Amino acid sequence: MMRVGVFSDSHGDERALDDLLEKMGYLDAVCFLGDVARDAEHLEQQLAAMPNRPALYAVRGNNDYYQTCALPWEQLIELEGVKIYMTHGHRMVSYMSLAYKAQELEAKVAMFGHTHAAFCEVHQGVMLLNPGSAGNYCRGGKARASVLELKGGQLRVTNVTL
């Protein structure tokens, strides 16, 4: 089984990222869905210090428009034989457009952020996963993220809230 931590919309809240990582436990990989790109660098440093050095996959978000950033706007990855489409989500007009984009890419999962609201539903045969906002500590709320477990083509999502 592969365990993937999914984060979005941290907005500079490194403490929340650290606390969520700790609460998630063992991870094989981490997906960061944007806002703010420098938080991906922070995650990369944290992951490098772990004994198993989980892989990091990251995209930029709408708050990264005017920053120098090498992250792509979207990314297609494959983990445990499952194709996963990653985007921040600010360019998608609806869940259906996100599902259709993922279908075009033959992805079984489409990860997105932007709305700050946790969401996990299947549309058009594609799991749409938004972990919510990992940066809600800085807004006085609960920081959130998700763990996606992949095993033999089966998917399981667990929400992690502080």
Side-chain angles (χ1 to χ4, degrees):
M1 175 176 54
M2 180 175 224
R3 290 176 44 86
V4 181
V6 185
F7 299 87
S8 189
D9 297 280
S10 46
H11 297 281
D13 196 341
E14 293 178 359
R15 183 173 67 105
L17 288 172
D18 293 346
D19 291 348
L20 287 163
L21 269 174
E22 184 176 338
K23 191 167 183 181
M24 288 177 174
Y26 180 89
L27 296 172
D28 297 291
V30 167
C31 293
F32 179 74
L33 305 171
D35 278 359
V36 171
R38 73 177 176 272
D39 292 343
E41 294 171 12
H42 176 76
L43 282 170
E44 190 169 43
Q45 292 170 355
Q46 298 302 96
L47 299 177
M50 293 179 177
N52 64 318
R53 297 182 64 96
L56 175 67
Y57 304 93
V59 295
R60 64 195 324 190
N62 60 297
N63 282 305
D64 300 315
Y65 268 111
Y66 302 107
Q67 298 177 19
T68 302
C69 178
L71 297 177
W73 289 108
E74 58 186 9
Q75 189 171 173
L76 181 67
I77 62 174
E78 188 169 333
L79 301 173
E80 289 291 302
V82 175
K83 287 186 181 178
I84 299 170
Y85 172 64
M86 296 171 52
T87 184
H88 182 62
H90 63 290
R91 295 176 167 186
M92 295 293 160
V93 296
S94 69
Y95 294 143
M96 292 308 290
S97 65
L98 182 60
Y100 287 138
K101 174 70 175 185
Q103 280 182 325
E104 287 175 15
L105 298 169
E106 300 178 351
K108 189 172 181 179
V109 179
M111 294 180 179
F112 68 104
H114 188 59
T115 67
H116 295 201
F119 180 85
C120 185
E121 288 184 12
V122 175
H123 286 262
Q124 299 298 113
V126 176
M127 175 189 278
L128 305 181
L129 173 60
N130 184 332
S133 175
N136 276 340
Y137 268 4
C138 60
R139 292 178 183 77
K142 293 182 178 180
R144 303 180 58 100
S146 296
V147 174
L148 172 64
E149 294 177 345
L150 306 154
K151 183 177 182 181
Q154 297 297 309
L155 309 171
R156 181 173 165 236
V157 175
T158 304
N159 292 319
V160 179
T161 305
L162 299 176

